[in-house]
Amino acid sequence: MNFKDYDPGPFYDEIFETPGHARPGVESLVDLLHNLEKGDLQRRQRAAETILLNLGITFNVYGAEQGVEKIFPFDIIPRTISAKDWDYIERGVKQRIFALNEFIKDIYSDQKILKDGVVPKELILSSEPYRKECIGLHPPKGIWAHITGTDLVRDRDGQFYVLEDNLRCPSGVSYVLGNRQVLKQTFPGIFSAMRVRPVDAYPNLLLQVMDHLVPESVRDPCRVILTPGIHNSAYFEHSFLARQMGIELVQGSDLVVSDGFVYMKTTRGFQRVDAIYRRIDDDFLDPKVFRSDSLLGCPGLMEVYMKGHVALINAPGTGVADDKAVYRYVPKIIRYYMNEDCILPNVPTYLAENPKERSHIIDNLKDMVVKETNASGGYGMLIGPASTYRERKLFEDKIKANPRNYIGQPVIQLSRSPILVKNRYEGRHVDLRPFVLYGKDIEVIPGGLTRVALKKNSLVVNSSQGGGSKDTWVLYDSQNE
């Protein structure tokens, strides 16, 4: 196998500058793949999939009939990012996360940005993930979003854009860690030759974030991951991270509130819990405050949290910054709190709630991507160029019935990267989700989750919609020793 017939097409290709000419720093990877014996890459692909299954790097598609355990489709050819590009991404993501934290802090306290008219007040009050119960909250160290997954895409001109922000319970970091373990076993030696930056510090960095939120008087903090249980689509990530971090994985029924603290039930009695990485949505976190019918959370948890006797990662209420209508205002949010221009631009976004912009969306449905403001996983979305007249008419009716619930964006021609298709290479569209940890400092893990649309010509990269993943190699600068 070789790349002589590989066609990057009219898109930005992550590996090749032009047909047959690899980007600087990637030549040794292309040479390695070119020099493999016939069938060798396919054997390594099958071995990689077996390793992923053994690691438990799996997911569940809600409503699937084939059972709960399924590996996240994986392509063995890594996606590479130059040191220069990564520096740009890192600076842009750090800026964005800092500003969004300031925004969340503000709207649950003084609401200065709303009073100054920078973000419309009604937009926030009508936001589905806005939690009035969080008004007046003061999370430890003033940090609301400790873990963020920011979705980036690259257009055909090579420019990165932020597609959306994920500040509630962002998933996918287990694939970042698992994919790296797989590639190290599959291609030992190439990492040192390519000078790939490591990602395996993530579990320890997350522990440091959790410890940073615990009062200094607590000498030996107890940290746990709170999961909804085995039927959650990301359960395997929850258990994988718990193993990697060396902490307990608990469900709401394993926790109890007593004397103003949260305790974990153990075979030796109750053990006080100091920090909870919760993978449960706000609605189900505490039936005394949010949904009274929730059996997933812990009654009384919010009262303990408000007293400062337990840390929650991420803080309740952060989802308001996930709202895709709020996303439209992030450049203004950055300007307001930091007095800086946005480093990483947004994709141009039209709000269906605005009558003029709603007309623009409806008149151009065939050429736009329409999204529900609070949907995820590729659901609730229309990709105009790939849609039928009936699908567009259905979305038009939905938009008119509930305009606050929809935004429209022009189609971004996502960059592509080669994948293995039987005995040849073909280009597929990719995005990137870097993971950001906010504790004592803001840390961006060098790499992130590269999702790939495995279906030919598809722009949908979500695993629930037939997408897969790649290992993401951030290269050291050639001058960096």
Side-chain angles (χ1 to χ4, degrees), residues 292-313:
S292 60
D293 61 343
S294 171
L295 301 176
L296 301 177
C298 174
L301 176 60
M302 284 297 292
E303 182 179 355
V304 179
Y305 178 61
M306 293 175 72
K307 290 179 178 178
H309 292 171
V310 70
L312 293 177
I313 297 102

mmCIF file with all atom_site columns, all heavy atoms in Angstrom, residues 292-313:
data_model
loop_
_atom_site.group_PDB
_atom_site.id
_atom_site.type_symbol
_atom_site.label_atom_id
_atom_site.label_alt_id
_atom_site.label_comp_id
_atom_site.label_asym_id
_atom_site.label_entity_id
_atom_site.label_seq_id
_atom_site.pdbx_PDB_ins_code
_atom_site.Cartn_x
_atom_site.Cartn_y
_atom_site.Cartn_z
_atom_site.occupancy
_atom_site.B_iso_or_equiv
_atom_site.pdbx_formal_charge
_atom_site.auth_seq_id
_atom_site.auth_comp_id
_atom_site.auth_asym_id
_atom_site.auth_atom_id
_atom_site.pdbx_PDB_model_num
ATOM 1   N N   . SER A 1 292 ? -37.440 16.090 41.157 1.00 0.00 ? 292 SER A N   1
ATOM 2   C CA  . SER A 1 292 ? -37.785 15.357 42.379 1.00 0.00 ? 292 SER A CA  1
ATOM 3   C C   . SER A 1 292 ? -37.916 13.854 42.138 1.00 0.00 ? 292 SER A C   1
ATOM 4   O O   . SER A 1 292 ? -37.870 13.066 43.094 1.00 0.00 ? 292 SER A O   1
ATOM 5   C CB  . SER A 1 292 ? -39.096 15.890 42.954 1.00 0.00 ? 292 SER A CB  1
ATOM 6   O OG  . SER A 1 292 ? -40.159 15.752 42.023 1.00 0.00 ? 292 SER A OG  1
ATOM 7   N N   . ASP A 1 293 ? -38.059 13.454 40.856 1.00 0.00 ? 293 ASP A N   1
ATOM 8   C CA  . ASP A 1 293 ? -38.214 12.027 40.557 1.00 0.00 ? 293 ASP A CA  1
ATOM 9   C C   . ASP A 1 293 ? -36.885 11.339 40.248 1.00 0.00 ? 293 ASP A C   1
ATOM 10  O O   . ASP A 1 293 ? -36.860 10.168 39.885 1.00 0.00 ? 293 ASP A O   1
ATOM 11  C CB  . ASP A 1 293 ? -39.178 11.826 39.384 1.00 0.00 ? 293 ASP A CB  1
ATOM 12  C CG  . ASP A 1 293 ? -38.689 12.487 38.094 1.00 0.00 ? 293 ASP A CG  1
ATOM 13  O OD1 . ASP A 1 293 ? -37.793 13.356 38.169 1.00 0.00 ? 293 ASP A OD1 1
ATOM 14  O OD2 . ASP A 1 293 ? -39.205 12.129 37.012 1.00 0.00 ? 293 ASP A OD2 1
ATOM 15  N N   . SER A 1 294 ? -35.780 12.064 40.398 1.00 0.00 ? 294 SER A N   1
ATOM 16  C CA  . SER A 1 294 ? -34.478 11.479 40.065 1.00 0.00 ? 294 SER A CA  1
ATOM 17  C C   . SER A 1 294 ? -34.058 10.432 41.094 1.00 0.00 ? 294 SER A C   1
ATOM 18  O O   . SER A 1 294 ? -34.110 10.669 42.305 1.00 0.00 ? 294 SER A O   1
ATOM 19  C CB  . SER A 1 294 ? -33.406 12.568 40.000 1.00 0.00 ? 294 SER A CB  1
ATOM 20  O OG  . SER A 1 294 ? -32.114 11.983 39.873 1.00 0.00 ? 294 SER A OG  1
ATOM 21  N N   . LEU A 1 295 ? -33.634 9.287  40.572 1.00 0.00 ? 295 LEU A N   1
ATOM 22  C CA  . LEU A 1 295 ? -33.079 8.230  41.418 1.00 0.00 ? 295 LEU A CA  1
ATOM 23  C C   . LEU A 1 295 ? -31.572 8.093  41.216 1.00 0.00 ? 295 LEU A C   1
ATOM 24  O O   . LEU A 1 295 ? -30.954 7.176  41.759 1.00 0.00 ? 295 LEU A O   1
ATOM 25  C CB  . LEU A 1 295 ? -33.762 6.893  41.098 1.00 0.00 ? 295 LEU A CB  1
ATOM 26  C CG  . LEU A 1 295 ? -35.286 6.850  41.284 1.00 0.00 ? 295 LEU A CG  1
ATOM 27  C CD1 . LEU A 1 295 ? -35.834 5.498  40.838 1.00 0.00 ? 295 LEU A CD1 1
ATOM 28  C CD2 . LEU A 1 295 ? -35.662 7.136  42.737 1.00 0.00 ? 295 LEU A CD2 1
ATOM 29  N N   . LEU A 1 296 ? -30.994 9.006  40.412 1.00 0.00 ? 296 LEU A N   1
ATOM 30  C CA  . LEU A 1 296 ? -29.582 8.887  40.044 1.00 0.00 ? 296 LEU A CA  1
ATOM 31  C C   . LEU A 1 296 ? -28.649 9.671  40.956 1.00 0.00 ? 296 LEU A C   1
ATOM 32  O O   . LEU A 1 296 ? -27.476 9.344  41.071 1.00 0.00 ? 296 LEU A O   1
ATOM 33  C CB  . LEU A 1 296 ? -29.382 9.354  38.596 1.00 0.00 ? 296 LEU A CB  1
ATOM 34  C CG  . LEU A 1 296 ? -30.159 8.606  37.522 1.00 0.00 ? 296 LEU A CG  1
ATOM 35  C CD1 . LEU A 1 296 ? -29.908 9.238  36.156 1.00 0.00 ? 296 LEU A CD1 1
ATOM 36  C CD2 . LEU A 1 296 ? -29.759 7.131  37.503 1.00 0.00 ? 296 LEU A CD2 1
ATOM 37  N N   . GLY A 1 297 ? -29.179 10.713 41.572 1.00 0.00 ? 297 GLY A N   1
ATOM 38  C CA  . GLY A 1 297 ? -28.327 11.609 42.344 1.00 0.00 ? 297 GLY A CA  1
ATOM 39  C C   . GLY A 1 297 ? -28.329 11.281 43.828 1.00 0.00 ? 297 GLY A C   1
ATOM 40  O O   . GLY A 1 297 ? -28.617 10.158 44.246 1.00 0.00 ? 297 GLY A O   1
ATOM 41  N N   . CYS A 1 298 ? -28.005 12.315 44.612 1.00 0.00 ? 298 CYS A N   1
ATOM 42  C CA  . CYS A 1 298 ? -27.894 12.140 46.059 1.00 0.00 ? 298 CYS A CA  1
ATOM 43  C C   . CYS A 1 298 ? -28.723 13.237 46.739 1.00 0.00 ? 298 CYS A C   1
ATOM 44  O O   . CYS A 1 298 ? -28.366 14.414 46.635 1.00 0.00 ? 298 CYS A O   1
ATOM 45  C CB  . CYS A 1 298 ? -26.432 12.230 46.486 1.00 0.00 ? 298 CYS A CB  1
ATOM 46  S SG  . CYS A 1 298 ? -26.168 12.206 48.277 1.00 0.00 ? 298 CYS A SG  1
ATOM 47  N N   . PRO A 1 299 ? -29.797 12.888 47.446 1.00 0.00 ? 299 PRO A N   1
ATOM 48  C CA  . PRO A 1 299 ? -30.606 13.901 48.125 1.00 0.00 ? 299 PRO A CA  1
ATOM 49  C C   . PRO A 1 299 ? -29.778 14.692 49.138 1.00 0.00 ? 299 PRO A C   1
ATOM 50  O O   . PRO A 1 299 ? -29.069 14.113 49.959 1.00 0.00 ? 299 PRO A O   1
ATOM 51  C CB  . PRO A 1 299 ? -31.692 13.066 48.826 1.00 0.00 ? 299 PRO A CB  1
ATOM 52  C CG  . PRO A 1 299 ? -31.758 11.780 48.053 1.00 0.00 ? 299 PRO A CG  1
ATOM 53  C CD  . PRO A 1 299 ? -30.352 11.528 47.595 1.00 0.00 ? 299 PRO A CD  1
ATOM 54  N N   . GLY A 1 300 ? -29.877 16.035 49.037 1.00 0.00 ? 300 GLY A N   1
ATOM 55  C CA  . GLY A 1 300 ? -29.150 16.888 49.965 1.00 0.00 ? 300 GLY A CA  1
ATOM 56  C C   . GLY A 1 300 ? -27.770 17.300 49.501 1.00 0.00 ? 300 GLY A C   1
ATOM 57  O O   . GLY A 1 300 ? -27.084 18.087 50.171 1.00 0.00 ? 300 GLY A O   1
ATOM 58  N N   . LEU A 1 301 ? -27.348 16.793 48.343 1.00 0.00 ? 301 LEU A N   1
ATOM 59  C CA  . LEU A 1 301 ? -25.989 17.083 47.859 1.00 0.00 ? 301 LEU A CA  1
ATOM 60  C C   . LEU A 1 301 ? -25.770 18.579 47.647 1.00 0.00 ? 301 LEU A C   1
ATOM 61  O O   . LEU A 1 301 ? -24.711 19.115 47.992 1.00 0.00 ? 301 LEU A O   1
ATOM 62  C CB  . LEU A 1 301 ? -25.749 16.330 46.545 1.00 0.00 ? 301 LEU A CB  1
ATOM 63  C CG  . LEU A 1 301 ? -24.406 16.571 45.832 1.00 0.00 ? 301 LEU A CG  1
ATOM 64  C CD1 . LEU A 1 301 ? -23.241 16.183 46.722 1.00 0.00 ? 301 LEU A CD1 1
ATOM 65  C CD2 . LEU A 1 301 ? -24.354 15.795 44.514 1.00 0.00 ? 301 LEU A CD2 1
ATOM 66  N N   . MET A 1 302 ? -26.746 19.270 47.097 1.00 0.00 ? 302 MET A N   1
ATOM 67  C CA  . MET A 1 302 ? -26.578 20.686 46.805 1.00 0.00 ? 302 MET A CA  1
ATOM 68  C C   . MET A 1 302 ? -26.421 21.516 48.075 1.00 0.00 ? 302 MET A C   1
ATOM 69  O O   . MET A 1 302 ? -25.668 22.500 48.104 1.00 0.00 ? 302 MET A O   1
ATOM 70  C CB  . MET A 1 302 ? -27.755 21.201 45.979 1.00 0.00 ? 302 MET A CB  1
ATOM 71  C CG  . MET A 1 302 ? -27.714 20.802 44.514 1.00 0.00 ? 302 MET A CG  1
ATOM 72  S SD  . MET A 1 302 ? -26.292 21.481 43.625 1.00 0.00 ? 302 MET A SD  1
ATOM 73  C CE  . MET A 1 302 ? -26.710 23.230 43.629 1.00 0.00 ? 302 MET A CE  1
ATOM 74  N N   . GLU A 1 303 ? -27.102 21.147 49.128 1.00 0.00 ? 303 GLU A N   1
ATOM 75  C CA  . GLU A 1 303 ? -26.958 21.871 50.395 1.00 0.00 ? 303 GLU A CA  1
ATOM 76  C C   . GLU A 1 303 ? -25.531 21.755 50.932 1.00 0.00 ? 303 GLU A C   1
ATOM 77  O O   . GLU A 1 303 ? -24.939 22.734 51.394 1.00 0.00 ? 303 GLU A O   1
ATOM 78  C CB  . GLU A 1 303 ? -27.952 21.333 51.428 1.00 0.00 ? 303 GLU A CB  1
ATOM 79  C CG  . GLU A 1 303 ? -27.901 22.083 52.755 1.00 0.00 ? 303 GLU A CG  1
ATOM 80  C CD  . GLU A 1 303 ? -28.900 21.549 53.768 1.00 0.00 ? 303 GLU A CD  1
ATOM 81  O OE1 . GLU A 1 303 ? -29.701 20.661 53.414 1.00 0.00 ? 303 GLU A OE1 1
ATOM 82  O OE2 . GLU A 1 303 ? -28.866 22.019 54.923 1.00 0.00 ? 303 GLU A OE2 1
ATOM 83  N N   . VAL A 1 304 ? -24.963 20.561 50.821 1.00 0.00 ? 304 VAL A N   1
ATOM 84  C CA  . VAL A 1 304 ? -23.573 20.356 51.249 1.00 0.00 ? 304 VAL A CA  1
ATOM 85  C C   . VAL A 1 304 ? -22.632 21.163 50.367 1.00 0.00 ? 304 VAL A C   1
ATOM 86  O O   . VAL A 1 304 ? -21.676 21.790 50.844 1.00 0.00 ? 304 VAL A O   1
ATOM 87  C CB  . VAL A 1 304 ? -23.206 18.856 51.196 1.00 0.00 ? 304 VAL A CB  1
ATOM 88  C CG1 . VAL A 1 304 ? -21.744 18.639 51.607 1.00 0.00 ? 304 VAL A CG1 1
ATOM 89  C CG2 . VAL A 1 304 ? -24.123 18.047 52.100 1.00 0.00 ? 304 VAL A CG2 1
ATOM 90  N N   . TYR A 1 305 ? -22.911 21.160 49.082 1.00 0.00 ? 305 TYR A N   1
ATOM 91  C CA  . TYR A 1 305 ? -22.077 21.900 48.122 1.00 0.00 ? 305 TYR A CA  1
ATOM 92  C C   . TYR A 1 305 ? -22.108 23.397 48.421 1.00 0.00 ? 305 TYR A C   1
ATOM 93  O O   . TYR A 1 305 ? -21.076 24.078 48.402 1.00 0.00 ? 305 TYR A O   1
ATOM 94  C CB  . TYR A 1 305 ? -22.574 21.612 46.706 1.00 0.00 ? 305 TYR A CB  1
ATOM 95  C CG  . TYR A 1 305 ? -21.845 22.349 45.617 1.00 0.00 ? 305 TYR A CG  1
ATOM 96  C CD1 . TYR A 1 305 ? -20.477 22.157 45.416 1.00 0.00 ? 305 TYR A CD1 1
ATOM 97  C CD2 . TYR A 1 305 ? -22.518 23.229 44.774 1.00 0.00 ? 305 TYR A CD2 1
ATOM 98  C CE1 . TYR A 1 305 ? -19.805 22.831 44.403 1.00 0.00 ? 305 TYR A CE1 1
ATOM 99  C CE2 . TYR A 1 305 ? -21.854 23.896 43.760 1.00 0.00 ? 305 TYR A CE2 1
ATOM 100 C CZ  . TYR A 1 305 ? -20.499 23.693 43.578 1.00 0.00 ? 305 TYR A CZ  1
ATOM 101 O OH  . TYR A 1 305 ? -19.834 24.365 42.580 1.00 0.00 ? 305 TYR A OH  1
ATOM 102 N N   . MET A 1 306 ? -23.294 23.927 48.707 1.00 0.00 ? 306 MET A N   1
ATOM 103 C CA  . MET A 1 306 ? -23.431 25.353 48.981 1.00 0.00 ? 306 MET A CA  1
ATOM 104 C C   . MET A 1 306 ? -22.711 25.756 50.263 1.00 0.00 ? 306 MET A C   1
ATOM 105 O O   . MET A 1 306 ? -22.265 26.899 50.407 1.00 0.00 ? 306 MET A O   1
ATOM 106 C CB  . MET A 1 306 ? -24.913 25.727 49.051 1.00 0.00 ? 306 MET A CB  1
ATOM 107 C CG  . MET A 1 306 ? -25.634 25.601 47.712 1.00 0.00 ? 306 MET A CG  1
ATOM 108 S SD  . MET A 1 306 ? -27.412 25.909 47.804 1.00 0.00 ? 306 MET A SD  1
ATOM 109 C CE  . MET A 1 306 ? -27.437 27.670 48.066 1.00 0.00 ? 306 MET A CE  1
ATOM 110 N N   . LYS A 1 307 ? -22.561 24.830 51.184 1.00 0.00 ? 307 LYS A N   1
ATOM 111 C CA  . LYS A 1 307 ? -21.829 25.107 52.420 1.00 0.00 ? 307 LYS A CA  1
ATOM 112 C C   . LYS A 1 307 ? -20.316 25.022 52.228 1.00 0.00 ? 307 LYS A C   1
ATOM 113 O O   . LYS A 1 307 ? -19.554 25.368 53.139 1.00 0.00 ? 307 LYS A O   1
ATOM 114 C CB  . LYS A 1 307 ? -22.247 24.113 53.515 1.00 0.00 ? 307 LYS A CB  1
ATOM 115 C CG  . LYS A 1 307 ? -23.662 24.318 54.026 1.00 0.00 ? 307 LYS A CG  1
ATOM 116 C CD  . LYS A 1 307 ? -23.995 23.273 55.087 1.00 0.00 ? 307 LYS A CD  1
ATOM 117 C CE  . LYS A 1 307 ? -25.396 23.490 55.646 1.00 0.00 ? 307 LYS A CE  1
ATOM 118 N NZ  . LYS A 1 307 ? -25.758 22.435 56.646 1.00 0.00 ? 307 LYS A NZ  1
ATOM 119 N N   . GLY A 1 308 ? -19.886 24.529 51.036 1.00 0.00 ? 308 GLY A N   1
ATOM 120 C CA  . GLY A 1 308 ? -18.458 24.396 50.785 1.00 0.00 ? 308 GLY A CA  1
ATOM 121 C C   . GLY A 1 308 ? -17.841 23.141 51.371 1.00 0.00 ? 308 GLY A C   1
ATOM 122 O O   . GLY A 1 308 ? -16.617 23.057 51.515 1.00 0.00 ? 308 GLY A O   1
ATOM 123 N N   . HIS A 1 309 ? -18.684 22.153 51.691 1.00 0.00 ? 309 HIS A N   1
ATOM 124 C CA  . HIS A 1 309 ? -18.186 20.926 52.315 1.00 0.00 ? 309 HIS A CA  1
ATOM 125 C C   . HIS A 1 309 ? -17.899 19.816 51.312 1.00 0.00 ? 309 HIS A C   1
ATOM 126 O O   . HIS A 1 309 ? -17.470 18.729 51.697 1.00 0.00 ? 309 HIS A O   1
ATOM 127 C CB  . HIS A 1 309 ? -19.188 20.422 53.357 1.00 0.00 ? 309 HIS A CB  1
ATOM 128 C CG  . HIS A 1 309 ? -19.296 21.317 54.550 1.00 0.00 ? 309 HIS A CG  1
ATOM 129 N ND1 . HIS A 1 309 ? -20.259 21.165 55.523 1.00 0.00 ? 309 HIS A ND1 1
ATOM 130 C CD2 . HIS A 1 309 ? -18.544 22.392 54.930 1.00 0.00 ? 309 HIS A CD2 1
ATOM 131 C CE1 . HIS A 1 309 ? -20.115 22.101 56.437 1.00 0.00 ? 309 HIS A CE1 1
ATOM 132 N NE2 . HIS A 1 309 ? -19.086 22.860 56.107 1.00 0.00 ? 309 HIS A NE2 1
ATOM 133 N N   . VAL A 1 310 ? -18.160 20.067 50.034 1.00 0.00 ? 310 VAL A N   1
ATOM 134 C CA  . VAL A 1 310 ? -17.800 19.124 48.981 1.00 0.00 ? 310 VAL A CA  1
ATOM 135 C C   . VAL A 1 310 ? -17.614 19.924 47.693 1.00 0.00 ? 310 VAL A C   1
ATOM 136 O O   . VAL A 1 310 ? -18.266 20.954 47.495 1.00 0.00 ? 310 VAL A O   1
ATOM 137 C CB  . VAL A 1 310 ? -18.885 18.032 48.797 1.00 0.00 ? 310 VAL A CB  1
ATOM 138 C CG1 . VAL A 1 310 ? -20.149 18.608 48.183 1.00 0.00 ? 310 VAL A CG1 1
ATOM 139 C CG2 . VAL A 1 310 ? -18.358 16.867 47.958 1.00 0.00 ? 310 VAL A CG2 1
ATOM 140 N N   . ALA A 1 311 ? -16.700 19.484 46.848 1.00 0.00 ? 311 ALA A N   1
ATOM 141 C CA  . ALA A 1 311 ? -16.471 20.124 45.551 1.00 0.00 ? 311 ALA A CA  1
ATOM 142 C C   . ALA A 1 311 ? -17.144 19.294 44.461 1.00 0.00 ? 311 ALA A C   1
ATOM 143 O O   . ALA A 1 311 ? -17.104 18.061 44.502 1.00 0.00 ? 311 ALA A O   1
ATOM 144 C CB  . ALA A 1 311 ? -14.977 20.241 45.277 1.00 0.00 ? 311 ALA A CB  1
ATOM 145 N N   . LEU A 1 312 ? -17.775 19.975 43.499 1.00 0.00 ? 312 LEU A N   1
ATOM 146 C CA  . LEU A 1 312 ? -18.396 19.307 42.354 1.00 0.00 ? 312 LEU A CA  1
ATOM 147 C C   . LEU A 1 312 ? -17.698 19.749 41.081 1.00 0.00 ? 312 LEU A C   1
ATOM 148 O O   . LEU A 1 312 ? -17.500 20.945 40.849 1.00 0.00 ? 312 LEU A O   1
ATOM 149 C CB  . LEU A 1 312 ? -19.881 19.653 42.261 1.00 0.00 ? 312 LEU A CB  1
ATOM 150 C CG  . LEU A 1 312 ? -20.784 19.133 43.380 1.00 0.00 ? 312 LEU A CG  1
ATOM 151 C CD1 . LEU A 1 312 ? -22.215 19.621 43.176 1.00 0.00 ? 312 LEU A CD1 1
ATOM 152 C CD2 . LEU A 1 312 ? -20.752 17.612 43.434 1.00 0.00 ? 312 LEU A CD2 1
ATOM 153 N N   . ILE A 1 313 ? -17.337 18.772 40.285 1.00 0.00 ? 313 ILE A N   1
ATOM 154 C CA  . ILE A 1 313 ? -16.640 19.030 39.019 1.00 0.00 ? 313 ILE A CA  1
ATOM 155 C C   . ILE A 1 313 ? -17.481 18.410 37.910 1.00 0.00 ? 313 ILE A C   1
ATOM 156 O O   . ILE A 1 313 ? -17.682 17.204 37.898 1.00 0.00 ? 313 ILE A O   1
ATOM 157 C CB  . ILE A 1 313 ? -15.239 18.375 39.015 1.00 0.00 ? 313 ILE A CB  1
ATOM 158 C CG1 . ILE A 1 313 ? -14.371 19.014 40.111 1.00 0.00 ? 313 ILE A CG1 1
ATOM 159 C CG2 . ILE A 1 313 ? -14.535 18.511 37.702 1.00 0.00 ? 313 ILE A CG2 1
ATOM 160 C CD1 . ILE A 1 313 ? -14.264 18.134 41.321 1.00 0.00 ? 313 ILE A CD1 1
#
